[in-house]
Coordinates of all heavy atoms in Angstrom, one line a residue:
M1 N 0.5 -9.7 8.0 CA -0.6 -10.1 7.2 C -0.2 -11.2 6.3 O 0.8 -11.2 5.7 CB -1.1 -8.9 6.5 CG -2.2 -9.2 5.5 SD -2.9 -7.8 4.6 CE -3.9 -7.0 5.8
T2 N -1.1 -12.2 6.1 CA -0.9 -13.3 5.2 C -1.6 -13.0 3.9 O -2.5 -12.2 3.8 CB -1.4 -14.6 5.8 OG1 -2.8 -14.6 5.9 CG2 -0.7 -14.9 7.1
V3 N -1.3 -13.8 2.9 CA -2.0 -13.7 1.6 C -3.5 -14.0 1.8 O -4.3 -13.3 1.3 CB -1.4 -14.7 0.5 CG1 -2.2 -14.8 -0.7 CG2 0.0 -14.2 0.2
R4 N -3.8 -15.0 2.6 CA -5.2 -15.3 2.9 C -5.9 -14.1 3.6 O -7.1 -13.8 3.2 CB -5.3 -16.6 3.8 CG -6.7 -16.9 4.4 CD -7.8 -17.0 3.4 NE -7.6 -17.6 2.2 CZ -8.4 -17.4 1.0 NH1 -9.4 -16.5 1.1 NH2 -8.1 -18.0 -0.1
D5 N -5.3 -13.5 4.6 CA -5.8 -12.3 5.2 C -6.2 -11.2 4.2 O -7.2 -10.6 4.2 CB -4.9 -11.7 6.3 CG -4.7 -12.6 7.4 OD1 -5.5 -13.5 7.7 OD2 -3.6 -12.4 8.1
L6 N -5.2 -10.9 3.3 CA -5.4 -9.9 2.3 C -6.6 -10.3 1.3 O -7.5 -9.5 1.0 CB -4.2 -9.7 1.5 CG -4.2 -8.7 0.4 CD1 -4.6 -7.3 0.9 CD2 -2.9 -8.6 -0.4
I7 N -6.7 -11.5 0.9 CA -7.7 -12.0 0.0 C -9.1 -11.8 0.7 O -10.1 -11.3 0.2 CB -7.5 -13.5 -0.4 CG1 -6.4 -13.5 -1.4 CG2 -8.8 -14.0 -1.0 CD1 -5.9 -15.0 -1.7
D8 N -9.1 -12.2 2.0 CA -10.4 -12.1 2.8 C -10.9 -10.7 2.9 O -12.0 -10.4 2.8 CB -10.2 -12.7 4.2 CG -10.1 -14.2 4.2 OD1 -10.5 -14.8 3.1 OD2 -9.7 -14.8 5.2
I9 N -9.9 -9.8 3.1 CA -10.3 -8.3 3.2 C -10.8 -7.8 1.9 O -11.8 -7.1 1.8 CB -9.1 -7.5 3.7 CG1 -8.8 -7.9 5.2 CG2 -9.3 -6.0 3.6 CD1 -7.4 -7.3 5.7
L10 N -10.1 -8.1 0.8 CA -10.4 -7.6 -0.5 C -11.7 -8.2 -1.0 O -12.4 -7.5 -1.9 CB -9.3 -7.9 -1.5 CG -8.0 -7.1 -1.3 CD1 -6.9 -7.6 -2.2 CD2 -8.2 -5.6 -1.3
E11 N -12.2 -9.3 -0.5 CA -13.4 -9.9 -1.0 C -14.6 -9.0 -0.6 O -15.7 -9.2 -1.1 CB -13.6 -11.3 -0.4 CG -12.7 -12.3 -1.2 CD -12.9 -13.7 -0.7 OE1 -13.4 -13.9 0.4 OE2 -12.4 -14.6 -1.4
N12 N -14.4 -8.1 0.4 CA -15.5 -7.2 0.8 C -15.7 -6.0 -0.1 O -16.6 -5.2 0.1 CB -15.2 -6.7 2.2 CG -15.3 -7.8 3.2 OD1 -16.2 -8.5 3.3 ND2 -14.2 -7.9 4.0
F13 N -14.9 -5.9 -1.2 CA -14.9 -4.7 -2.1 C -15.4 -5.1 -3.4 O -15.3 -6.3 -3.8 CB -13.6 -4.0 -2.2 CG -13.1 -3.5 -0.8 CD1 -12.3 -4.2 0.0 CD2 -13.5 -2.2 -0.5 CE1 -11.9 -3.7 1.2 CE2 -13.1 -1.6 0.7 CZ -12.3 -2.4 1.6
D14 N -15.9 -4.2 -4.2 CA -16.2 -4.4 -5.6 C -15.0 -4.9 -6.4 O -13.9 -4.2 -6.3 CB -16.7 -3.1 -6.2 CG -17.1 -3.1 -7.7 OD1 -16.6 -4.1 -8.4 OD2 -17.9 -2.3 -8.1
E15 N -15.1 -6.0 -7.1 CA -13.9 -6.6 -7.7 C -13.3 -5.7 -8.8 O -12.2 -5.9 -9.3 CB -14.2 -8.0 -8.2 CG -15.2 -8.0 -9.3 CD -15.5 -9.5 -9.7 OE1 -15.5 -10.4 -8.9 OE2 -15.7 -9.7 -10.9
D16 N -14.1 -4.7 -9.3 CA -13.6 -3.8 -10.4 C -13.0 -2.5 -9.8 O -12.6 -1.6 -10.6 CB -14.8 -3.5 -11.3 CG -15.2 -4.7 -12.1 OD1 -14.4 -5.5 -12.4 OD2 -16.4 -4.9 -12.3
M17 N -13.0 -2.3 -8.5 CA -12.5 -1.1 -7.9 C -10.9 -1.1 -8.0 O -10.3 -2.1 -7.8 CB -12.9 -1.1 -6.4 CG -12.4 0.2 -5.7 SD -13.0 0.2 -3.9 CE -14.7 0.8 -4.2
E18 N -10.4 0.1 -8.2 CA -8.9 0.2 -8.3 C -8.3 0.0 -6.9 O -8.9 0.3 -5.9 CB -8.6 1.7 -8.7 CG -9.0 2.0 -10.2 CD -8.1 1.3 -11.2 OE1 -6.9 1.0 -10.9 OE2 -8.6 1.1 -12.3
V19 N -7.1 -0.5 -6.9 CA -6.3 -0.7 -5.7 C -5.1 0.1 -5.7 O -4.4 0.2 -6.7 CB -6.0 -2.2 -5.5 CG1 -5.1 -2.4 -4.2 CG2 -7.2 -3.1 -5.5
R20 N -4.8 0.8 -4.6 CA -3.6 1.6 -4.5 C -2.9 1.4 -3.1 O -3.6 0.9 -2.2 CB -3.9 3.1 -4.6 CG -4.5 3.5 -5.9 CD -3.5 3.4 -7.0 NE -4.1 3.9 -8.3 CZ -4.5 3.0 -9.3 NH1 -4.4 1.7 -9.1 NH2 -5.0 3.5 -10.4
I21 N -1.7 1.7 -3.0 CA -1.0 1.6 -1.7 C -1.0 3.0 -1.1 O -0.5 4.0 -1.8 CB 0.4 1.1 -1.9 CG1 0.4 -0.3 -2.4 CG2 1.2 1.1 -0.5 CD1 1.7 -0.9 -2.8
G22 N -1.5 3.2 0.1 CA -1.4 4.5 0.8 C -0.1 4.6 1.5 O 0.4 3.7 2.1
M23 N 0.5 5.8 1.5 CA 1.7 6.1 2.2 C 1.5 7.2 3.2 O 1.5 8.4 2.9 CB 2.9 6.5 1.3 CG 4.2 6.6 1.9 SD 5.6 7.0 0.8 CE 5.1 8.5 0.1
K24 N 1.3 6.9 4.5 CA 1.1 7.9 5.6 C 2.4 8.4 5.9 O 3.4 7.7 6.1 CB 0.4 7.3 6.8 CG -1.1 7.0 6.6 CD -1.7 6.5 7.9 CE -3.2 6.3 7.7 NZ -3.8 6.0 9.0
Q25 N 2.5 9.8 6.1 CA 3.7 10.4 6.5 C 3.4 11.3 7.8 O 2.3 11.7 8.0 CB 4.2 11.3 5.4 CG 4.4 10.6 4.1 CD 5.2 11.4 3.1 OE1 6.4 11.2 3.0 NE2 4.5 12.1 2.3
K26 N 4.5 11.5 8.6 CA 4.3 12.3 9.8 C 4.1 13.8 9.4 O 3.4 14.5 10.1 CB 5.5 12.2 10.7 CG 5.6 10.9 11.3 CD 6.8 10.8 12.3 CE 6.8 9.5 13.0 NZ 7.4 9.5 14.3
Y27 N 4.7 14.2 8.3 CA 4.6 15.6 7.8 C 4.4 15.6 6.4 O 4.8 14.8 5.6 CB 6.0 16.3 8.1 CG 6.4 16.3 9.5 CD1 7.4 15.4 10.0 CD2 5.7 17.1 10.5 CE1 7.8 15.4 11.3 CE2 6.1 17.0 11.8 CZ 7.2 16.1 12.2 OH 7.5 16.1 13.5
G28 N 3.6 16.5 5.9 CA 3.3 16.7 4.5 C 2.2 15.8 4.0 O 1.4 15.3 4.8
T29 N 2.1 15.7 2.7 CA 1.0 15.0 2.1 C 1.1 13.5 2.2 O 2.2 12.9 2.1 CB 1.0 15.3 0.6 OG1 0.9 16.8 0.4 CG2 -0.2 14.7 -0.2
D30 N -0.1 12.8 2.5 CA -0.2 11.4 2.5 C -0.4 10.9 1.0 O -1.5 11.2 0.5 CB -1.3 10.9 3.4 CG -1.0 11.2 4.8 OD1 0.1 11.2 5.3 OD2 -2.0 11.6 5.5
F31 N 0.5 10.2 0.4 CA 0.4 9.9 -1.0 C -0.3 8.6 -1.3 O -0.3 7.7 -0.4 CB 1.8 9.9 -1.7 CG 2.4 11.2 -1.8 CD1 3.5 11.6 -1.0 CD2 1.9 12.2 -2.7 CE1 4.1 12.8 -1.1 CE2 2.5 13.4 -2.8 CZ 3.6 13.7 -2.0
A32 N -0.9 8.5 -2.4 CA -1.4 7.2 -3.0 C -0.5 6.8 -4.0 O 0.0 7.6 -4.9 CB -2.8 7.4 -3.6
M33 N -0.1 5.5 -4.0 CA 0.9 5.0 -4.9 C 0.2 3.9 -5.8 O -0.5 3.0 -5.3 CB 2.0 4.3 -4.1 CG 2.7 5.3 -3.1 SD 3.4 6.7 -3.8 CE 4.9 6.0 -4.6
E34 N 0.5 3.9 -7.1 CA 0.1 2.8 -7.9 C 0.9 1.5 -7.5 O 1.9 1.6 -6.9 CB 0.4 3.1 -9.4 CG -0.4 4.3 -9.9 CD -0.1 4.6 -11.3 OE1 0.9 4.1 -11.9 OE2 -0.9 5.4 -11.9
I35 N 0.3 0.4 -7.9 CA 1.0 -0.9 -7.7 C 1.6 -1.3 -9.0 O 1.0 -1.3 -10.0 CB 0.0 -2.0 -7.2 CG1 -0.6 -1.6 -5.9 CG2 0.7 -3.3 -7.1 CD1 -1.7 -2.5 -5.4
D36 N 2.9 -1.6 -8.9 CA 3.6 -2.0 -10.1 C 3.3 -3.5 -10.4 O 3.8 -4.4 -9.7 CB 5.1 -1.9 -9.9 CG 6.0 -2.2 -11.1 OD1 5.4 -2.8 -12.1 OD2 7.1 -1.8 -11.2
D37 N 2.3 -3.7 -11.3 CA 1.8 -5.1 -11.5 C 2.9 -6.1 -11.9 O 2.7 -7.3 -11.7 CB 0.8 -5.0 -12.7 CG -0.5 -4.2 -12.3 OD1 -0.7 -4.0 -11.1 OD2 -1.2 -3.8 -13.2
S38 N 3.9 -5.7 -12.4 CA 5.0 -6.6 -12.8 C 5.9 -7.0 -11.6 O 6.7 -7.8 -11.8 CB 5.9 -6.0 -13.9 OG 6.6 -4.9 -13.5
C39 N 5.6 -6.4 -10.5 CA 6.5 -6.6 -9.3 C 5.8 -7.1 -8.1 O 6.0 -6.7 -7.0 CB 7.3 -5.4 -9.0 SG 8.5 -4.9 -10.2
I40 N 4.8 -8.0 -8.3 CA 4.2 -8.7 -7.1 C 4.8 -10.1 -7.1 O 4.3 -11.0 -7.9 CB 2.7 -8.7 -7.2 CG1 2.1 -7.3 -7.3 CG2 2.1 -9.5 -6.1 CD1 0.6 -7.2 -7.6
E41 N 5.8 -10.3 -6.3 CA 6.6 -11.5 -6.3 C 7.1 -11.9 -4.9 O 7.0 -11.0 -4.0 CB 7.8 -11.4 -7.2 CG 7.5 -11.1 -8.7 CD 8.7 -10.9 -9.5 OE1 9.8 -10.8 -9.0 OE2 8.5 -10.8 -10.8
E42 N 7.5 -13.1 -4.8 CA 8.1 -13.5 -3.5 C 9.6 -13.1 -3.5 O 10.3 -13.3 -4.4 CB 8.0 -15.1 -3.4 CG 8.5 -15.6 -2.1 CD 8.3 -17.1 -2.0 OE1 7.3 -17.6 -2.6 OE2 9.1 -17.7 -1.3
H43 N 9.9 -12.5 -2.3 CA 11.3 -12.1 -2.1 C 11.7 -12.4 -0.7 O 10.9 -12.5 0.2 CB 11.4 -10.5 -2.3 CG 11.2 -10.1 -3.7 ND1 12.1 -10.3 -4.7 CD2 10.1 -9.5 -4.3 CE1 11.7 -9.8 -5.9 NE2 10.4 -9.4 -5.7
T44 N 13.0 -12.4 -0.5 CA 13.6 -12.5 0.9 C 13.6 -11.1 1.6 O 14.0 -10.1 1.0 CB 15.0 -13.0 0.9 OG1 15.0 -14.3 0.2 CG2 15.6 -13.1 2.3
I45 N 13.0 -11.1 2.8 CA 13.1 -9.9 3.6 C 14.3 -10.0 4.5 O 14.3 -10.9 5.3 CB 11.8 -9.7 4.4 CG1 10.5 -9.7 3.5 CG2 11.9 -8.4 5.3 CD1 10.5 -8.6 2.5
N46 N 15.2 -9.1 4.4 CA 16.4 -9.0 5.3 C 15.9 -8.3 6.6 O 15.9 -7.0 6.6 CB 17.6 -8.4 4.7 CG 18.0 -9.1 3.4 OD1 18.1 -10.3 3.5 ND2 18.2 -8.4 2.3
A47 N 15.5 -9.0 7.6 CA 14.8 -8.4 8.8 C 15.8 -7.5 9.6 O 17.0 -7.9 9.7 CB 14.3 -9.5 9.7
F48 N 15.3 -6.4 10.1 CA 16.1 -5.6 11.0 C 16.3 -6.3 12.3 O 17.3 -6.1 12.9 CB 15.3 -4.2 11.2 CG 15.3 -3.3 10.0 CD1 14.1 -2.7 9.7 CD2 16.4 -3.2 9.1 CE1 14.0 -1.9 8.6 CE2 16.3 -2.3 8.0 CZ 15.1 -1.7 7.7
Y49 N 15.3 -7.0 12.7 CA 15.3 -7.8 14.0 C 14.9 -9.2 13.7 O 13.9 -9.4 13.1 CB 14.4 -7.1 15.0 CG 14.6 -5.6 15.2 CD1 13.8 -4.7 14.6 CD2 15.7 -5.1 15.9 CE1 14.0 -3.3 14.7 CE2 16.0 -3.8 16.0 CZ 15.1 -2.9 15.4 OH 15.3 -1.5 15.5
G50 N 15.6 -10.2 14.3 CA 15.2 -11.6 14.1 C 15.7 -12.1 12.8 O 16.6 -11.6 12.1
D51 N 15.1 -13.3 12.4 CA 15.5 -14.0 11.2 C 15.0 -13.4 9.9 O 13.9 -12.9 9.9 CB 15.1 -15.5 11.3 CG 15.8 -16.2 12.5 OD1 16.9 -15.8 12.9 OD2 15.1 -17.1 13.1
D52 N 15.7 -13.6 8.9 CA 15.2 -13.2 7.5 C 14.1 -14.2 7.2 O 14.0 -15.3 7.7 CB 16.3 -13.3 6.5 CG 17.5 -12.3 6.7 OD1 17.3 -11.4 7.5 OD2 18.5 -12.5 6.0
Y53 N 13.2 -13.8 6.3 CA 12.1 -14.6 5.9 C 11.6 -14.3 4.5 O 12.0 -13.2 3.9 CB 10.9 -14.4 6.9 CG 10.4 -13.0 7.0 CD1 9.4 -12.5 6.3 CD2 11.1 -12.1 7.9 CE1 9.0 -11.1 6.4 CE2 10.7 -10.8 8.0 CZ 9.6 -10.3 7.3 OH 9.2 -9.0 7.4
E54 N 10.8 -15.2 3.9 CA 10.3 -15.0 2.6 C 8.9 -14.4 2.7 O 8.1 -14.7 3.6 CB 10.1 -16.4 1.9 CG 11.5 -17.1 1.6 CD 12.3 -16.3 0.7 OE1 11.9 -15.8 -0.4 OE2 13.5 -16.1 1.0
A55 N 8.5 -13.5 1.8 CA 7.2 -12.8 1.8 C 6.9 -12.4 0.3 O 7.7 -12.2 -0.5 CB 7.3 -11.5 2.6
V56 N 5.6 -12.3 0.1 CA 5.1 -11.7 -1.1 C 5.2 -10.2 -1.0 O 4.7 -9.6 0.0 CB 3.6 -12.1 -1.4 CG1 3.1 -11.4 -2.6 CG2 3.5 -13.6 -1.5
V57 N 5.9 -9.6 -1.9 CA 6.2 -8.2 -1.9 C 5.4 -7.5 -3.0 O 5.5 -7.8 -4.1 CB 7.7 -7.9 -2.0 CG1 8.0 -6.4 -2.0 CG2 8.5 -8.6 -0.9
I58 N 4.6 -6.5 -2.5 CA 3.8 -5.7 -3.5 C 4.6 -4.4 -3.6 O 4.8 -3.6 -2.6 CB 2.4 -5.4 -2.9 CG1 1.6 -6.7 -2.8 CG2 1.7 -4.4 -3.9 CD1 0.3 -6.5 -2.1
T59 N 5.2 -4.1 -4.8 CA 6.1 -3.0 -5.0 C 5.3 -1.8 -5.5 O 4.4 -1.8 -6.3 CB 7.2 -3.4 -6.0 OG1 7.9 -4.5 -5.5 CG2 8.1 -2.2 -6.2
E60 N 5.6 -0.6 -4.9 CA 5.0 0.7 -5.3 C 5.4 1.0 -6.7 O 6.6 0.8 -7.1 CB 5.5 1.8 -4.3 CG 5.0 1.7 -2.9 CD 5.5 2.8 -2.1 OE1 6.5 3.5 -2.5 OE2 4.9 3.1 -1.0
G61 N 4.5 1.6 -7.4 CA 4.8 2.2 -8.7 C 4.9 3.7 -8.4 O 5.5 4.1 -7.4
S62 N 4.4 4.5 -9.3 CA 4.5 6.0 -9.2 C 3.4 6.5 -8.3 O 2.4 5.9 -8.1 CB 4.5 6.6 -10.5 OG 3.4 6.3 -11.2
Q63 N 3.6 7.8 -7.8 CA 2.6 8.5 -7.1 C 1.5 8.8 -8.0 O 1.7 9.2 -9.2 CB 3.2 9.7 -6.5 CG 4.2 9.5 -5.4 CD 4.8 10.8 -4.9 OE1 4.5 11.9 -5.4 NE2 5.7 10.7 -3.9
C64 N 0.2 8.7 -7.5 CA -0.9 9.0 -8.4 C -1.9 10.0 -7.8 O -2.9 10.3 -8.4 CB -1.6 7.7 -8.8 SG -2.2 6.7 -7.4
G65 N -1.6 10.4 -6.6 CA -2.5 11.4 -5.9 C -2.2 11.4 -4.5 O -1.2 10.9 -4.0
S66 N -3.1 12.1 -3.7 CA -3.0 12.1 -2.3 C -4.2 11.4 -1.6 O -5.3 11.3 -2.3 CB -2.9 13.6 -1.8 OG -4.1 14.3 -2.1
V67 N -4.1 10.9 -0.4 CA -5.1 10.2 0.3 C -5.7 11.1 1.3 O -5.0 11.7 2.1 CB -4.5 8.9 1.0 CG1 -5.6 8.1 1.7 CG2 -3.8 8.0 -0.1
D68 N -7.1 11.1 1.4 CA -7.8 11.9 2.3 C -8.2 10.9 3.5 O -9.4 10.5 3.5 CB -9.1 12.5 1.6 CG -9.9 13.4 2.6 OD1 -9.4 13.7 3.7 OD2 -11.0 13.8 2.2
Y69 N -7.3 10.6 4.4 CA -7.6 9.7 5.5 C -8.6 10.2 6.4 O -9.4 9.4 7.0 CB -6.3 9.3 6.2 CG -5.4 8.4 5.5 CD1 -4.2 8.8 5.0 CD2 -5.7 7.1 5.3 CE1 -3.3 8.0 4.3 CE2 -4.9 6.2 4.6 CZ -3.7 6.7 4.2 OH -2.8 5.8 3.5
D70 N -8.7 11.5 6.6 CA -9.6 12.0 7.6 C -11.0 12.3 7.1 O -11.9 12.7 7.8 CB -9.0 13.4 8.1 CG -7.7 13.2 8.8 OD1 -7.5 12.1 9.5 OD2 -6.9 14.1 8.7
G71 N -11.2 12.1 5.8 CA -12.5 12.4 5.2 C -12.8 13.8 5.0 O -13.9 14.3 4.7
E72 N -11.7 14.6 5.1 CA -11.8 16.1 4.9 C -10.9 16.4 3.7 O -9.7 16.2 3.8 CB -11.4 16.9 6.1 CG -12.2 16.5 7.3 CD -11.6 17.2 8.6 OE1 -10.6 17.9 8.5 OE2 -12.1 16.9 9.7
N73 N -11.4 16.9 2.6 CA -10.6 17.1 1.4 C -9.8 18.4 1.7 O -10.3 19.5 1.5 CB -11.5 17.3 0.2 CG -10.8 17.1 -1.1 OD1 -9.6 16.9 -1.1 ND2 -11.5 17.2 -2.2
D74 N -8.6 18.3 2.1 CA -7.7 19.4 2.5 C -6.8 19.7 1.3 O -5.8 19.0 1.1 CB -6.9 19.1 3.7 CG -6.1 20.3 4.2 OD1 -6.2 21.4 3.7 OD2 -5.3 20.0 5.1
D75 N -7.1 20.8 0.6 CA -6.3 21.1 -0.6 C -5.3 22.3 -0.3 O -4.8 22.9 -1.2 CB -7.2 21.6 -1.7 CG -8.0 20.4 -2.3 OD1 -7.5 19.3 -2.2 OD2 -9.1 20.7 -2.8
D76 N -5.0 22.5 1.0 CA -4.1 23.6 1.4 C -2.7 23.4 0.9 O -1.9 24.3 0.7 CB -4.0 23.7 2.9 CG -5.3 24.2 3.5 OD1 -6.1 24.7 2.8 OD2 -5.5 24.0 4.7
W77 N -2.3 22.1 0.5 CA -0.9 21.9 0.1 C -0.7 22.2 -1.4 O 0.4 22.3 -1.8 CB -0.6 20.4 0.3 CG -1.4 19.4 -0.5 CD1 -2.6 18.9 -0.1 CD2 -1.1 18.9 -1.7 NE1 -3.1 18.1 -1.1 CE2 -2.2 18.1 -2.1 CE3 0.0 19.0 -2.6 CZ2 -2.2 17.4 -3.3 CZ3 -0.1 18.3 -3.8 CH2 -1.1 17.5 -4.1
I78 N -1.8 22.5 -2.1 CA -1.7 22.8 -3.5 C -1.2 24.2 -3.7 O -1.5 25.1 -3.1 CB -3.0 22.6 -4.3 CG1 -3.4 21.1 -4.2 CG2 -2.9 23.0 -5.7 CD1 -4.8 20.8 -4.8

């Protein structure tokens, strides 16, 4: 995804809506993560495969809740 792709996607939402990073897991709770506003910067990605490259990195802050990806509020984990 490019910066332009992200901007285009975000233009479809209310500009005052909160933004979080979702973390899907194979097992357990899917967490929502805050974005560390001080850490949206360009960094080198040391690629596992292929050449290293530069990218804008959005760094996770702390966990702030769980994500209901299925639209079913499942509180069984509490």
Side-chain angles (χ1 to χ4, degrees):
M1 172 179 284
T2 66
V3 170
R4 170 54 38 206
D5 293 337
L6 180 58
I7 290 169
D8 289 345
I9 290 167
L10 292 175
E11 285 179 346
N12 293 309
F13 296 92
D14 178 339
E15 66 182 36
D16 294 323
M17 181 178 281
E18 294 287 332
V19 177
R20 299 291 182 258
I21 298 173
M23 183 177 62
K24 287 188 176 182
Q25 302 193 93
K26 289 186 179 203
Y27 305 103
T29 302
D30 296 321
F31 291 108
M33 308 295 290
E34 293 179 348
I35 297 171
D36 185 343
D37 294 342
S38 65
C39 291
I40 300 175
E41 298 176 353
E42 185 176 327
H43 293 283
T44 300
I45 304 298
N46 299 314
F48 292 137
Y49 308 101
D51 297 330
D52 295 350
Y53 55 95
E54 296 296 311
V56 174
V57 177
I58 300 171
T59 302
E60 293 179 343
S62 58
Q63 293 176 355
C64 58
S66 63
V67 180
D68 185 10
Y69 284 110
D70 299 326
E72 301 172 6
N73 200 0
D74 184 8
D75 292 333
D76 291 342
W77 63 274
I78 296 177

